[in-house]
Structures are given as C-alpha cells and as structure tokens.
Amino acid sequence: MSLEYITRREGTTSLLQRVRQAVKSTVASYALPFFLALPALANVSCGKNSAPSNPVPVCADADGDGSYATAGCGGDVDCDDANARAWQNIPVYSDIDHDGFGAGDLGTLCIGEDLPAGYALNNTDCEDNDNTIYPGSPELCDYLDNDCDLRTVDGSSELPPLNPVQDGVCGGSREACLDGEWQEMYNGVEGYENKESLCDGLDNDCNRGIDDELFIPSRACTAGVGECTTLGVEYKTCLGEGGWSADYRDCTAVPGIPGIELCDDVDQDCDENNYNGFAVGEACAVGIGACTASGSYVCSPDGLDVICDAVPGIPGIELCDDRDQDCDENNYNGFAVGEPCAVGIGDCARASSYSCSPDGLTALCDVLPGDPTAEVCDGRDNNCNGEIDEGLVRPSQECTAGMGECRASGLEYQTCLGESGWSVEYSGCDGVPEMPRAEVCDGLDQDCDGNNDNGFPVGGPCAVSVGGCLASGSYVCSADGLRVLCDAMPGDPRDEVCDGIDNNCNGEIDEGLSRENLRCMGNIENCIAGSWYSIGGISQLKNEPRDARFSCNRILADGVSRGDGVYWIDPNGGAPDDAYIVYCDMTTAGGGWTLVMQSLAGDDTFHYSSEYWSNDALYNENILVPGCATAKYEAYLSLPGREFMLNLVGNRNNRSMYTNPAETTARSLFSRNNNPVRPSGGNLDLREWTAYPPECASNPYEGFVAATVHEVDQVTVRWSVQQYSVGRLGHAAAGLGIRIGMVWPCTGEWGSKDAVLLWVR
C-alpha cells in the first residue's frame, strides 16, 4: 500500500511523508561521494600511543539511497544500507483486512517511500477482519458498529431516510431502524394522528387534508315559531388554529308552513303572536257617559273575532256637573257650558264663558264687570257710559291768522286721535285776519302776501358810473316809499393809464395810450388789454378778442384775414378771456403762419441747453414785431401744428421747413433731444438758401435737435441749417438763433449774420 493511500485514508499528512521530506533535504545538503566524505588524514597522527582528540565518523551509503548507515552524518541512520528501497524505521500496526486502518500492538518496520500491504499507521480499526468496518464508514442498519463509534450503532446519530409520507405534520419525519432494516416511523411526530380528530388548522393524519373527516360537536335545535316549529341538529365550526367555534350554526330543522291565524291562544300563522290581528287583552269599554263600563277584549267563541267582556250601566237624569247622566255623549246636555259670555261695557267689559252653577241646575257667566275710570283721549270708553273720548278739554296755544299787516291773534287746538292720543300739531286757529292794502316800500307787507316790499328790488345789487369810477351797492327804499334808490357813491375820474381799466370814466379802456419801445428802438408800444405791446403801431391789431380763431391758419381759412399783422387767437377754444395776441404771416409760403419764437443775432438766451426750450416761462412775450427782440410767446406752449418754418428776418424767402407726422406744439418738438438729423422728403428745403461765400462751398450741412459734424468739429443744435456756410444756426454749445450766420470754421471768425424767426402752421 502506498503512502498516498494511507494519507488519503487518514485525512492528514502521514508520518512517513514527513520522514521522507526530512531525509531528502539532508541528502541534498550533505551527501558527497564516499571518498570526499572521509575526513582529511594529512594532519592526523596515528601513532600507537596517540588518540585523536576529535574522532571523525566514517559516513558510508552502500546502497546509494541518500541515507547513511553511520550516525552523525546527517539525518536518520539508514536502517538497511544494503537495500536502496528501505532506509527509515516507521511505527506501524497490523492491517489484516487491508481497509487502511490498523489494530493490535505497535511495532516498527524498515521501509522506503511505500508502506507494505498489511500495515497501517494507526490502530483505530474496531474490526480488523472486516474491511467494511472502520472509522468514518457509513453506518448501516445491521446491528453492527460500522463506523467504530458505539454511540452511533445502527445510525442513531446519522440522518435516517425520510419517511415516504411528508405531507402535513409529517414533513421532515424520518424512518427508524427496526429489526435490521429501515421502516416508516410517524409515532413521536408532534401533532401526528392516525385518524384526524384535532381542530387545529393542521394536517394531523398527513393525508393532504387539513382538519378533514373530523367528528363535529353538535346539539339539538329548532326552526320556526308557533305551530311551524320543527326539530333538527346544529353544529360547531372548525376555525383552524382557533379550534372549534363557540357557537353552533346551520340547524338542519326546516320550519313548517304558516296557516291562518285564529283567536284561540295558538300561533297558527307562526309570527310569534298567538293573537295576531286580534286585540285580546286590550282595554275596552261599553256604554257612554255615566253608563260606561270598562273591561278587556276576549276571543269570541268561534275564534274569528274578539268581544268586550264589560256590561254598560242604566241612563239617569242629566245635571250641569261635568257628567253624562243620561248617557247621550253630552255632559252638559241642555246647558250652555263653555259658550262665550260678556258683562259690562267700554273699559268695564269683561269676557268669559258659561260654567255650571253650584247646584248643577243652570249655567252662569263666571266673570264680573270692571270699574269705571275718568275719560281720557285714548279711543276707549273709560267711564263705561257707552261713549268714547267725550267731554274732553282740548289742549291749546296762541296762534295768528293771516300774513304781514293783516295778521290777527287767536288760539289753536290739538285734536284727539283716539288710540294715538292728542295730535302733535295744533290746528283751527280762531283768529280773524284784516283785509290787505296796497304795497309801499317801507319794509312792511301791506298786501299780506308774505313778501315785504313786494314789487320793489330792495337789497338787490346796483352800480353807478363806469370804468374806474364804477361803484357797487344795494337798492334801498326812497323816503316816500314809492320807489328804490342805489346807495352806491361813484369814484372820481383819473388820468388814463395802461391797466385794462377805464380810469377817466369815459366808457373807453386804455384809449390813446402809447410810448416809445426802449427794447426795440424805432417802435412804439401800444396799450392793449392792460399790457404794453410792441406790434408796430395800433393799426397792426387786426381783430378783437371776441373774433378770435384757433390759429392764424384758421383766420386765413375762414376768410377773415386782413394781411400780415397782430391777431387775437384762442387755441383753447374757451371764453374770450382765454384769447391772446400773436403775429401772423399771411403771405409767406401760402400764409397762415403763427410766430412762436424769435432770436436776434448774437443773443444766447436760447442756448442749446437753455430751459426755455422745455419750461413754461415766456420771454419778451409782448414784443410782437418780427426781428425786434429775442422772444418766446404763449403760442410756443399751447398752439399745436404740423408744419414748422425757420427763416431770416427781412428775407422771408430764405426759409427752412419741417413737417411733423402729427400735430404737436413747439415746446413738445424742441424739448426732446436727438430728433432726426437730415429729415427726408424735403422737410428742410436747403435750396432756398442761396447767398454764401465761396470759401466754404464744400461744407453744406443741416440739423434738427441733434449733433452734426462740420469738418473737424461737432456742432450740437436745436435746429441748424447751413448751405455753404450762410445761415448756420448754432455751434457746439449753441441752439436756435444764437450767433446766427457764423462762417466759422471756414474763416475762423465768430460773428452773426441775421435774426431768426420760428413759425408754426
């Protein structure tokens, strides 16, 4: 038997393997040819009397198996140096049945790598004559200890085979070793029953049926009521793990068929009522009034109905005493008991009803009349004499009859309104007024119509004189009372001044007033509507405030134009007080132009950044002569138009026109920055600017509230027009009309050419 077999049987590394490994290691490290293994003898003295101090062993390996026969040569001593297949002594036991497990006493054996047959390295075999018995052998059901473990004889510690039936509680149960063979064994399985008897929700008899074929507890039961009652059996219900139900159910009895109920103490119709449809036992009475007798209903002899078992009394004589002695269903037969009755009148009246007299022989009204009181105004008969509110003293107060001088004194009275008492108002004044007379102006009402001085405007407003002498007052009566007079005193006339007042009280206002215009030399100022205006002479005022139109263009369109000059216009369309005067150009470019602004040459009032472009302030608004002064007019603020014209004073043909898509005022137009430059469609007609110096012929430009570039500098303007450097309006810090007609930068000069006018139409 090889060592590998022994190792496999033991399940661990065998002693023989460990010995073999150690021997091979030693041979590899120390084994040399025999002659090299001898010690050097050159320096060894072998004299007869000398002995080596360190004897050296002779290491011989006669069979060449790597193990030495002499001790001290490394490794174990070769136990058979003549046999190259044996070199080690191993402890062994006898293995007669050759199952790899030995028995008997320990001995030694000189072997090589393989263990000879018939030996084993252990003595654990409990039966060395049977190779089916050894440690770890499968235990059989044969009365033998197959695995050499007395505790497991016949498989007591093994898992026996499963029982054939594994259903229900038998799941996992195993066979038992009986009489040397495996047999089914269910006894001892928890909950197992050969025949199912437990109600526990388990398959106790392992037949794949839970709680089946059980003996079910039962008891007697009935079904139906009355004559329909029958007997039967009812059963408990198996609830599985809950065991048997506490109650019984499913009674097998079938109730009988109900019949027709009779009045006979039997429940024929089976509704638990023996007298169903019959009033047996209920109270009953017979007779009426004093003849009434009480009893109860009982079954009739034939069982088809009930009868009252009472006997009525005998009728007597009727009395007024709440009893029906004559048994006719009327307790007060012949008496008016309960009917209404009354006694007394007015507030003394009392109502009640008739009731029986104490002796029961008649009926009496059971109330007494009330006590009378003094009569008052309340719509009642307080004194119970049959009259209402009679003989009362009426409350009164003093009164007058008539008006004015006809008035007379008397008394007026309140009226008794019955339940409402005395009236709040007094009426029926007994005064007699006098007869009316003719009215005079004296503060009295002689004609008695409620108006003093009827026909005279006493207290009404009045005035005397005119103009500055005008005085206001009120009308008063004359001394004779026949007329009225104005109590105002007129003022004294004064010299006429320009203030919109008739100072000299001649009926004319500011007439003949004029003066020299110091701001516009060579012109005369005229007084118009209380203010000084330079209009070029009073003859230039072409209309009156009452004739004002919306604009100069409307005056022209309505055919009431009187040529160029000053006109009253009213863009607000209100009263004449809203009108103001403007200068109208009725000839240039079709006419109808209203002057809204002008700027003289060299005047920087309307600088590009000036607030005048957008605020409400006016400037020299009373100087209306074109080219006379720098000015901003009311029309700049309030007159809308679609066409705007810019031209030079004295040469109306030199002009620039701009058309706006919608009507707008000049202020709205010029207060906005960055309006379009170089508008298209001929809005700025440069061709009408003709005079220019030749040195700047290559630099025409135009602008409108914008910045334009002229050679090396940027020009910022409100409205600038230049054709070959003539008529340029503004520069980098200027606006409309400032330093007009500059030729810079062509000549490098700063200067003005002319005045500029701004018109709207």
Side-chain angles (χ1 to χ4, degrees), residues 125-182:
D125 198 341
C126 57
E127 177 53 64
D128 201 29
N129 292 313
D130 189 340
N131 62 4
T132 64
I133 298 175
Y134 52 83
S137 175
E139 189 70 28
L140 304 176
C141 182
D142 56 1
Y143 292 105
L144 298 177
D145 182 12
N146 306 94
D147 60 0
C148 296
D149 185 352
L150 295 178
R151 298 172 300 174
T152 60
V153 176
D154 292 338
S156 59
S157 67
E158 303 277 339
L159 285 177
L162 293 173
N163 281 319
V165 177
Q166 293 292 312
D167 299 311
V169 298
C170 298
S173 65
R174 295 182 178 273
E175 297 179 342
C177 183
L178 300 175
D179 299 328
E181 60 182 17
W182 295 109

Side-chain angles (χ1 to χ4, degrees), residues 230-567:
T230 60
L231 294 176
V233 178
E234 61 183 356
Y235 301 89
K236 286 191 174 185
T237 302
C238 181
L239 304 178
E241 293 181 3
W244 293 106
S245 62
D247 57 335
Y248 293 83
R249 61 184 65 180
D250 300 329
C251 184
T252 60
V254 178
I257 299 174
I260 298 174
E261 188 78 356
L262 298 175
C263 186
D264 59 357
D265 294 337
V266 177
D267 183 16
Q268 287 91 352
D269 60 359
C270 309
D271 64 353
E272 298 186 280
N273 189 342
N274 293 345
Y275 306 103
N276 190 35
F278 301 97
V280 173
E282 294 182 11
C284 62
V286 295
I288 54 177
C291 303
T292 301
S294 299
S296 58
Y297 286 109
V298 296
C299 291
S300 63
D302 58 5
L304 300 177
D305 203 353
V306 292
I307 57 176
C308 188
D309 60 2
V311 178
I314 299 173
I317 298 174
E318 189 78 357
L319 296 176
C320 185
D321 59 358
D322 296 336
R323 297 182 64 195
D324 182 17
Q325 286 89 355
D326 60 357
C327 306
D328 63 353
E329 297 186 279
N330 189 341
N331 293 344
Y332 308 103
N333 192 33
F335 301 97
V337 173
E339 295 183 12
C341 62
V343 294
I345 59 175
D347 281 359
C348 301
R350 300 292 184 271
S352 186
S353 59
Y354 286 105
S355 61
C356 293
S357 63
D359 58 7
L361 299 178
T362 188
L364 303 175
C365 191
D366 63 357
V367 69
L368 297 176
D371 297 327
T373 60
E375 196 76 6
V376 295
C377 179
D378 59 1
R380 302 167 65 89
D381 180 12
N382 310 99
N383 55 12
C384 308
N385 66 350
E387 296 182 63
I388 296 174
D389 298 337
E390 83 283 359
L392 300 176
V393 178
R394 298 173 63 190
S396 63
Q397 65 178 11
E398 293 183 355
C399 64
T400 59
M403 295 185 293
E405 293 300 294
C406 301
R407 183 181 293 111
S409 298
L411 292 176
E412 60 183 356
Y413 302 90
Q414 288 180 313
T415 302
C416 183
L417 302 178
E419 293 181 1
S420 300
W422 294 106
S423 64
V424 177
E425 296 82 10
Y426 290 81
S427 62
C429 186
D430 56 8
V432 180
E434 297 185 9
M435 295 299 293
R437 293 174 291 137
E439 189 82 357
V440 295
C441 186
D442 59 359
L444 299 176
D445 181 19
Q446 287 87 1
D447 60 0
C448 307
D449 64 352
N451 294 317
N452 296 341
D453 302 327
N454 190 34
F456 298 95
V458 175
C462 61
V464 294
S465 192
V466 294
C469 302
L470 181 67
S472 298
S474 301
Y475 285 111
V476 296
C477 293
S478 64
D480 58 7
L482 299 179
R483 62 185 182 279
V484 292
L485 303 174
C486 187
D487 62 1
M489 296 298 293
D492 297 326
R494 295 176 296 158
D495 292 336
E496 196 76 8
V497 294
C498 184
D499 58 1
I501 298 174
D502 179 14
N503 307 101
N504 57 12
C505 307
N506 67 348
E508 297 183 62
I509 298 174
D510 299 336
E511 77 280 3
L513 297 178
S514 63
R515 69 182 184 183
E516 184 180 0
N517 186 350
L518 299 179
R519 292 173 294 176
C520 188
M521 300 305 292
N523 277 282
I524 300 299
E525 289 185 324
N526 298 102
C527 183
I528 302 174
S531 297
W532 291 105
Y533 285 90
S534 290
I535 62 174
I538 194 64
S539 62
Q540 293 295 314
L541 187 58
K542 305 297 184 178
N543 64 353
E544 296 294 332
R546 64 178 177 271
D547 301 322
R549 298 293 197 272
F550 180 82
S551 65
C552 297
N553 196 36
R554 181 61 58 82
I555 293 172
L556 184 65
D558 289 349
V560 292
S561 170
R562 296 175 59 193
D564 296 348
V566 178
Y567 290 83

